[in-house]
Amino acid sequence: SSSTLVRRSQEALPEDPRAFEQLVAIYRQQVFATAYRLMGNREDAEDQAQEVFLKVFHNIDELEEPGRFPAWLSRITVTTCLNALKQRQRRSSHVLSEDVEQEAAVTWESARPLTPEQVALARELRECIESALLDLSAE
């Protein structure tokens, strides 16, 4: 059972990874399927599944009840993927905000200088847009 494999992993790691490798073999498809549903593509799902098992490897000692391993693994999988999606959105919105700032700079270079109030309003608008983008779902 997975409880036995968890206990053996906790006792044997890092010297003997055999029990842990069996856990990975049992749960690999489940973790990948969850990651794929959340990430939306195979490459990202594979990356996040690998990240999940790395976290499990390093933190399996913290699991006090081996019988809770499936729920614990599921929580790690979801959290890892959601964090990756948030980072992806941050990168996208950061690139977008830089593009918008450059475009605005070019537009305003040919126009009259901005007043301090206009600069403050533009900054506030950009922050509102970035915040809204971070709140959007991956879809």
Side-chain angles (χ1 to χ4, degrees):
S1 78
S2 66
S3 295
T4 304
L5 291 172
V6 169
R7 270 191 230 98
R8 285 199 310 203
S9 293
Q10 289 172 326
E11 293 165 3
L13 286 176
E15 292 82 17
D16 183 357
R18 287 177 293 180
F20 181 77
E21 288 167 357
Q22 287 179 289
L23 278 173
V24 172
I26 292 168
Y27 289 99
R28 180 181 313 150
Q29 278 306 116
Q30 178 184 331
V31 168
F32 175 79
T34 301
Y36 187 83
R37 281 196 307 275
L38 290 168
M39 301 306 297
N41 69 67
R42 183 175 192 83
E43 186 178 326
D44 287 345
E46 288 172 351
D47 289 347
Q48 295 315 309
Q50 188 173 11
E51 183 68 24
V52 165
F53 285 115
L54 191 60
K55 287 178 180 179
V56 170
F57 181 87
H58 289 296
N59 296 296
I60 199 163
D61 282 345
E62 295 175 14
L63 183 62
E64 293 177 10
E65 296 178 46
R68 304 233 351 109
F69 180 79
W72 184 68
L73 177 63
S74 179
R75 192 168 63 246
I76 290 172
T77 303
V78 170
T79 302
T80 299
C81 291
L82 291 178
N83 287 340
L85 288 169
K86 284 179 187 173
Q87 285 180 338
R88 181 196 293 173
Q89 285 180 331
R90 271 192 221 112
R91 280 194 302 269
S92 296
S93 66
H94 181 68
V95 168
L96 176 65
S97 68
E98 285 178 357
D99 290 347
V100 168
E101 284 175 12
Q102 288 173 351
E103 194 173 309
V106 169
T107 303
W108 284 104
E109 272 177 18
S110 57
R112 64 186 189 281
L114 292 175
T115 66
E117 182 182 5
Q118 288 171 320
V119 170
L121 287 172
R123 183 179 301 121
E124 187 176 334
L125 177 61
R126 188 186 76 238
E127 288 170 3
C128 286
I129 291 171
E130 286 179 355
S131 175
L133 286 171
L134 289 174
D135 290 341
L136 293 175
S137 70
E139 291 177 15

